Amino acid sequence: DAMVIQNPRYQVTQFGKPVTLSCSQTLNHNVMYWYQQKSSQAPKLLFHYYDKDFNNEADTPDNFQSRRPNTSFCFLDIRSPGLGDAAMYLCATSAGWSYEQYFGPGTRLTVT
Amino acid sequence: ELKVEQNPLFLSMQEGKNYTIYCNYSTTSDRLYWYRQDPGKSLESLFVLLSNGAVKQEGRLMASLDTKARLSTLHITAAVHDLSATYFCAVDKSGGGADGLTFGKGTHLIIQP
């Protein structure tokens, strides 16, 4: 089935140790998003790619970077994770006139 | 800056009762989305509302959109325990494109037998 896949589902990293989260999609959608959702809060958009064009939210910390090497894959890099970066990271894709977003299962990041 | 406000933020109700969750937003937009989230899980799409006056129903849930009032409602009819979850409304940041969503804070719904 076509879907949005995130790996790993659970990630534990140490304070300051770089970490990469992965998202892949079989929907062939041209837009991919990364959201951060902290405990008991709403998802918050970090950035998105429209095809190869990168769009960063103004308040996304420089500590967060993203790469999209091809249509199917998108990566979230956290260069120096802090305790405050512990969260669920949600990848989503969209295409078409409705721009409905399809969310992956998420990666739960723990920082020790 | 786009603001999306939901109320109530917390709702405890009994099975069989009806209730409505409200979602107000601060920009002109004709695209509004409702999602369900279970604890520890990702977001599940419930409804996509794309025009003024749009009404969609699925089972015991019905969503509507009034773009002139900048208001959407999610109505629950004869609630059952399985509907216990957190419900988010979300609006396109750009009001009609693919720039991502701004979410309300969510309504934590508990339905008691």
Side-chain angles (χ1 to χ4, degrees):
Chain A
D1 291 341
M3 58 174 53
V4 181
I5 302 163
Q6 291 187 244
N7 285 302
R9 296 291 306 280
Y10 302 90
Q11 176 74 58
V12 180
T13 191
Q14 293 179 334
F15 182 94
K17 185 175 182 180
V19 65
T20 295
L21 309 183
S22 170
C23 178
S24 64
Q25 53 129 342
T26 59
L27 297 162
N28 203 33
H29 286 171
N30 59 332
V31 192
M32 295 187 75
Y33 310 83
W34 281 104
Y35 291 86
Q36 178 194 59
Q37 186 178 24
K38 295 185 178 180
S39 181
S40 300
Q41 295 186 20
K44 181 180 181 299
L45 181 67
L46 294 174
F47 25 58
H48 74 280
Y49 274 94
Y50 196 115
D51 293 319
K52 293 187 176 183
D53 293 333
F54 177 70
N55 299 272
N56 196 32
E57 292 301 298
D59 56 356
T60 297
D62 292 339
N63 198 27
F64 291 85
Q65 305 285 320
S66 185
R67 296 171 283 134
R68 189 179 186 185
N70 54 54
T71 300
S72 300
F73 284 87
C74 195
F75 299 98
L76 170 62
D77 300 310
I78 309 176
R79 293 190 299 184
S80 182
L83 297 179
D85 296 327
M88 173 80 89
Y89 289 88
L90 298 166
C91 174
T93 71
S94 74
W97 67 278
S98 76
Y99 289 109
E100 181 175 0
Q101 297 201 5
Y102 295 80
F103 283 84
T107 294
R108 181 164 297 281
L109 178 68
T110 300
V111 182
T112 61
Chain B
E1 179 188 352
L2 170 60
K3 293 187 187 300
V4 182
E5 294 185 353
Q6 279 183 245
N7 68 85
L9 298 182
F10 182 83
L11 177 58
S12 179
M13 56 192 292
Q14 289 185 321
E15 281 190 327
K17 300 292 186 182
N18 304 332
Y19 210 83
T20 300
I21 299 170
Y22 298 88
C23 177
N24 291 92
Y25 54 97
S26 64
T27 190
T28 55
S29 176
D30 57 1
R31 297 170 189 263
L32 189 133
Y33 308 79
W34 284 97
Y35 292 91
R36 168 181 172 149
Q37 188 174 42
D38 292 302
K41 303 292 186 181
S42 185
L43 298 171
E44 174 189 353
S45 179
L46 294 175
F47 300 108
V48 180
L49 303 171
L50 298 175
S51 61
N52 185 42
V55 178
K56 291 195 174 181
Q57 183 165 4
E58 181 72 34
R60 300 175 187 273
L61 301 178
M62 183 174 70
S64 66
L65 178 61
D66 181 342
T67 58
K68 294 180 180 178
R70 301 180 185 177
L71 170 68
S72 180
T73 60
L74 179 66
H75 186 73
I76 303 158
T77 301
V80 293
H81 179 68
D82 286 351
L83 291 178
S84 297
T86 298
Y87 293 85
F88 291 98
C89 65
V91 178
D92 266 338
K93 290 177 80 282
S94 63
D99 290 340
L101 300 178
T102 297
F103 285 80
K105 289 185 176 181
T107 297
H108 183 52
L109 175 63
I110 295 176
I111 299 170
Q112 299 176 355

